[in-house]
Structures are given as structure tokens and as C-alpha cells.
Amino acid sequence: MPDLKDCKSIFPRMASRILDEVMMDAALIKELAGVAKDTALLQGVLMRTKESPNSSELVTYAPFTLFPSPVPKSVFLQALSVQTHFNTLVDKISQDIDFLQEALASTIEVDDFTARLFKIHQQILKEGRSQSIVLGLNRSDYMLDQREDQTSSLKQIEINTIAASFGGLSSQTPEVHKHILKVAGRLEESQRILDNNPAAGLARGLAKAWELYGSDRAVVMFLVEEVQRNIFDHRYIEGELWKRNIPTVRKRFDDIYKTGSLDPDKRLFVDGKEVAVVYFRNGYMPQNYTNEQCWDVRLMMERSQAVKCPDIGTHLAGTKKVQQVLARPGVLERFFPDQPQAVQQMRETFAGLYTLDMGPEGDKTVAMALAEPNRFVLKPQREGGGNNIYGSEIVKVLREVRGSTERTAYILMDKINPAPIENYLLRRDSPLVISNCLSELGVFGAYVRQGAHMVMNECVGHLLRTKSSEHADGGVAAGVAVLDNPLLV
């Protein structure tokens, strides 16, 4: 197994092996693209169409790469091995009232969305939590940073603690790439595509929480968006639950507002059914809360006995501000006082993160970003892709807010520079052209805690998303990235 230092040279070497003989053969590429689309449809790598996002009468393949992308094995294994530590970290943060209060103090002054979430958090603490079972399904996202000294390292972009998507579809994509490589005469490479089933692992977490709740008649409720193009990603997880005879329902904020209530024991009922687990696949962005009724529903669910995935503390633990505070010296040690190895494993994945709080340290960050904007990314407290700010835009935003507390709504992060590789991105109605691409590796974690006892803590699979290098930001659901698989090298 090559040393990490050799990664830079591996990438082009590995990519060019497929590239030289296959990628430059236009007739073969055209044939493979047709086979790939059919295989994706056969394997259920599906999305509804833009034209009819709430109907399954007409569906298409979810966008994906023609070929799997090379990823160094050592870095891939590093990302998997640290996931259970990140699960534990998120869980510990969610319970640390003082830490969350301190970390988010400046943010809630200027960011309305975080402030509203925090207000719910405070209300729940005042009333006392109704449920001792905690379920976390998260995804930690990384890129491979290529430095000038030829080394390559795994750097964390963020942890998604709410509505982490594509566990379903990424369970279906390995077969697509295995088949394409076989058709391209690349049997040896096809055998290096790993099996991957995050849907089953995420469902295991949901099933464990449902079981601990202790009512056979109660349902797992998926809180879903108004527009549901990505429904098949959910359906795989639903299917895994139905295999265990665990009933699922899909409800929007509006449905819950109309038919939801708490009984005197704070059990949650929606449309006459008792809810054991609320699985958020919505509610992560301000625009998801279209009116006050949505906020009322969120509070009602948080107050209820239902297991929340995530509960409000876990949602707050995934904010960008918390990520930045965790990178400060000594902070990880607060949560892992006797585990220096776990601390080191996590810290190795951190990119440089800098505060924009008012005061000398924040002033220094502003000056640094204005001097070399291309070295950084400016991140607001938002999920869902497409929110980050780059290059000359950083200068524009920081000049506007540098002297005001508004700047504390952002954090600054070192820009990660992955080595681009060539691939074909297959999208409905898009031309078949070779693109310079960047990939992002996600690792799924699932944990269940009851009281002080950790019942389950697992790494349950991975996700590779790839986009054209001209796109700075945005995921698959945002229409920028496409699904991919790692080809370990």
C-alpha cells in the first residue's frame, strides 16, 4: 500500500490507465453511456423529474458518473475508521448545554434561524426532556487536499446531523459501476468496487430506536419536503423498515399541523397514529419553515415522547459555528479527556477554521481573508449545499460586514484543493462530454443512546459525489454534484 505522500502521483496514473484506453474511444464511450443509464434504471438509481417532482408516473435516472473515481485506499479507510468517534462527539456536544450556549452565543445574536432553533432547545431544557432515547444518523463529508509538497490528506468539510441524504441511492450505485467496468473490459477494476449499503445501516438505527420506544403499533414518521424529487432515496430506507414489519408514514409540516397532537403523556399522534420516531428529511433550512405553523410543529415534536432524529441539541451540534469552535486547541479534549488517540484521529481531518467573532481574533481573520481570498471559503450557518462564498465574493461580503456583528453569522475555512480527475457526468438531457472533476467523500454514521448507555454506534457506509471543477459548491439534490463510487487504489 503506497504511503500517503505518493497519492498525488497515484491519481493521474490510476485515472490515466482507464483514460488512455477507454476514455478516448468515442464510440465505446457512447455505447457505455447508454448501457450505464439502462443499468442505473434497472438498479433503481432513480429520481422524479423536474417537471413532475411529486409524481412517480415519469421518473429518470439520478445523475451519476460514467466511471468510478480513484480514491487512495489508506485515506478511504481513515475516513471510515474515525466515524464512530464523530458519532460520539456529536452526541456528547448535543448534551453539553454550557458548550452549545457558549459556542453559539455570537451566532444567535445575528442569525435568526439558529436563534429560533436555540430558543426551542432552551424551552425543552426548561420543561425537561420527554424522551431518554437519542437517535443520530449523520454524514461526515471530506475532500482530499492536495498540497504543494505533493502530499495528500483527508480534510473534513462538515458533519451533517440532520436529513443526511443519499444513503438510499448510494446503496444501489456500486452495481452500476461494476457492470460498466466489466462491459469496458475492466474486470479487475470492477472487482475493486466495494459493496455499500448505507440504507440498511441507517434503517438499523431507526429500527433500534423504534424497538426501544416499545409500541408495536407506533410508526416511524418521515418528515418530508413539499417537493419530493428525491423520494426514492427515502424509499430504500422505508423498504428496509417494512422488511422488519416496522410501519412508516410520510408527512409534511402542514399535515402534522392539521392532524398532530400530544396526549397528556406527551405521546405524539399524527392522523390518529402514535409516532415512535420522527425522522427529519426536512427542516434543515430556513426556507423549510414557510410560516409560524411549521415552527409550532417543530416545537410540538421536540416536546413529545417520540424519538427525534435528530433532536434539537443534535441539530445545533451540526452548525458551522460549532465546527469552527471544535477546531480550537483543547476543545476536543473537553469531550474526550482520556482518549488522546481518538482526539488525534479527529483532529487530523480538520482543515483550518477561523472565527469571525467581534474582537482582535475575528479582526485578524477578516484581514487574512481580504488579503488572500482564494485561500479560503466563507461559510454561513446553512445546510443543503450552494451556500458557501468564494474568491472575490468573499471580499465583497466581508467589506460589507467587517465592522458589524453581522460577520459573526459566518465562519472562515481553509479552501481544500483536491486534484481534479477526468470523468463523464451523466445527466438527463446533457451532452456527453469529458469534464475535469472534483470528488467529495461522505461517511454515514448511526448511533442510538438510551439514557447514559450507548446501544449502537456504527459506521454504516459511504457516499462519493463528484462535480465538474467549475462548480464551487452544491450537492446532488442541489443539481450540481452527481453520484459516484470510489475505485480504491
Side-chain angles (χ1 to χ4, degrees):
M1 186 64 227
D3 187 281
L4 268 183
K5 292 189 193 68
D6 301 327
C7 289
K8 183 141 188 168
S9 56
I10 291 170
F11 263 84
R13 202 168 64 225
M14 183 64 220
S16 66
R17 278 228 309 272
I18 293 181
L19 199 120
D20 294 344
E21 297 164 41
V22 179
M23 283 208 191
M24 293 307 159
D25 183 336
L28 178 59
I29 290 293
K30 195 176 170 189
E31 182 196 340
L32 289 174
V35 173
K37 290 170 189 177
D38 290 345
T39 310
L41 293 166
L42 282 172
Q43 293 297 334
V45 182
L46 301 171
M47 261 185 164
R48 287 172 170 173
T49 62
K50 270 197 201 91
E51 298 79 12
S52 52
N54 287 337
S55 162
S56 293
E57 289 302 306
L58 188 65
V59 300
T60 184
Y61 57 89
F64 67 104
T65 57
L66 181 54
F67 298 108
S69 295
V71 174
K73 188 178 178 183
S74 55
V75 179
F76 178 77
L77 295 176
Q78 180 192 358
L80 297 190
S81 68
V82 75
Q83 185 57 39
T84 53
H85 294 321
F86 278 121
N87 291 347
T88 305
L89 177 63
V90 168
D91 185 48
K92 283 174 185 266
I93 294 167
S94 75
Q95 300 169 75
D96 194 325
I97 300 157
D98 294 341
F99 176 79
L100 281 173
Q101 171 84 58
E102 220 172 288
L104 295 171
S106 61
T107 307
I108 58 182
E109 292 294 318
V110 292
D111 188 88
D112 288 344
F113 183 58
T114 310
R116 296 227 42 183
L117 295 171
F118 196 78
K119 194 176 160 196
I120 292 174
H121 181 245
Q122 285 181 304
Q123 188 165 339
I124 299 304
L125 290 174
K126 203 168 97 186
E127 290 181 17
R129 291 190 179 103
S130 306
Q131 181 53 268
S132 65
I133 303 161
V134 172
L135 166 63
L137 301 179
N138 63 52
R139 196 188 69 224
S140 183
D141 290 337
Y142 305 91
M143 273 184 156
L144 228 57
D145 195 30
Q146 302 280 332
R147 290 296 187 201
E148 282 163 15
D149 66 356
Q150 303 277 302
T151 61
S152 164
S153 61
L154 186 76
K155 291 298 169 198
Q156 188 182 61
I157 296 160
E158 62 184 354
I159 299 183
N160 301 281
T161 63
I162 179 168
S165 57
F166 292 104
L169 294 186
S170 62
S171 303
Q172 305 305 115
T173 54
E175 292 305 319
V176 179
H177 280 140
K178 283 179 190 175
H179 184 62
I180 286 308
L181 289 173
K182 283 180 190 171
V183 176
R186 294 286 175 175
L187 185 62
E188 193 266 324
E189 278 97 344
S190 82
Q191 289 162 345
R192 275 195 272 147
I193 304 277
L194 301 173
D195 287 332
N196 185 34
N197 197 351
L202 298 171
R204 256 199 322 279
L206 289 159
K208 178 51 76 180
W210 177 85
E211 187 188 302
L212 292 171
Y213 183 87
S215 168
D216 285 350
R217 287 189 311 280
V219 301
V220 173
M221 179 174 77
F222 284 55
L223 176 73
V224 299
E225 294 173 279
E226 295 293 324
V227 175
Q228 298 173 41
R229 273 197 79 191
N230 197 25
I231 192 166
F232 299 101
D233 189 50
H234 302 195
R235 292 291 195 206
Y236 284 110
I237 299 167
E238 289 176 49
E240 291 287 340
L241 292 169
W242 281 106
K243 278 181 198 169
R244 296 171 163 86
N245 299 318
I246 297 171
T248 70
V249 295
R250 299 173 62 79
K251 298 290 177 188
R252 298 163 308 178
F253 273 122
D254 189 47
D255 302 322
I256 303 165
Y257 183 76
K258 284 175 181 158
T259 70
S261 62
L262 300 185
D263 77 358
D265 296 325
K266 289 192 178 171
R267 289 184 303 172
L268 175 64
F269 287 84
V270 175
D271 209 8
K273 291 175 177 162
E274 184 177 356
V275 177
V277 181
V278 178
Y279 176 31
F280 284 79
R281 294 298 298 253
N282 188 13
Y284 52 91
M285 298 190 284
Q287 53 267 45
N288 300 149
Y289 298 80
T290 49
N291 52 38
E292 280 304 307
Q293 295 170 358
C294 298
W295 287 107
D296 293 344
V297 166
R298 179 73 192 257
L299 178 60
M300 177 175 71
M301 294 188 297
E302 292 297 338
R303 293 180 67 224
S304 79
Q305 266 201 50
V307 180
K308 276 73 65 180
C309 177
D311 64 13
I312 194 75
T314 308
H315 186 170
L316 289 167
T319 52
K320 306 290 185 289
K321 183 62 190 174
V322 166
Q323 182 189 12
Q324 179 258 308
V325 173
L326 287 171
R328 287 178 181 270
V331 177
L332 284 179
E333 285 81 355
R334 171 182 179 144
F335 298 104
F336 293 83
D338 309 314
Q339 292 174 265
Q341 206 177 350
V343 167
Q344 189 191 343
Q345 271 184 283
M346 286 184 278
R347 193 166 278 145
E348 277 173 2
T349 70
F350 288 175
L353 291 146
Y354 312 96
T355 182
L356 283 161
D357 284 354
M358 302 311 285
E361 199 185 347
D363 292 345
K364 193 176 152 193
T365 303
V366 171
M368 189 168 73
L370 290 174
E372 294 184 89
N374 291 328
R375 273 188 51 209
F376 303 104
V377 183
L378 191 63
K379 296 178 129 184
Q381 311 297 317
R382 293 287 172 271
E383 300 303 322
N387 302 299
N388 295 336
I389 298 159
Y390 299 84
S392 58
E393 281 296 305
I394 292 181
V395 176
K396 198 173 138 197
V397 172
L398 284 183
R399 281 198 176 132
E400 279 170 24
V401 302
R402 67 193 296 178
S404 85
T405 54
E406 278 179 55
R407 76 187 199 190
T408 61
Y410 301 89
I411 64 162
L412 193 75
M413 180 174 162
D414 282 346
K415 191 175 173 193
I416 300 166
N417 296 299
I421 48 173
E422 292 188 310
N423 210 328
Y424 289 86
L425 307 181
L426 303 182
R427 278 197 186 89
R428 179 184 165 211
D429 297 334
S430 289
L432 185 61
V433 290
I434 201 160
S435 299
N436 258 339
C437 300
L438 309 174
S439 296
E440 191 173 308
L441 175 68
V443 180
F444 291 98
Y447 63 88
V448 179
R449 176 171 54 77
Q450 187 170 30
H453 176 52
M454 195 61 105
V455 181
M456 170 184 175
N457 182 7
E458 295 178 22
C459 168
V460 295
H462 59 271
L463 163 71
L464 195 70
R465 288 167 301 170
T466 293
K467 58 192 169 194
S468 165
S469 57
E470 72 209 39
H471 290 294
D473 195 20
V476 182
V480 174
V482 308
L483 297 168
D484 197 349
N485 277 293
L487 177 67
L488 297 190
V489 296

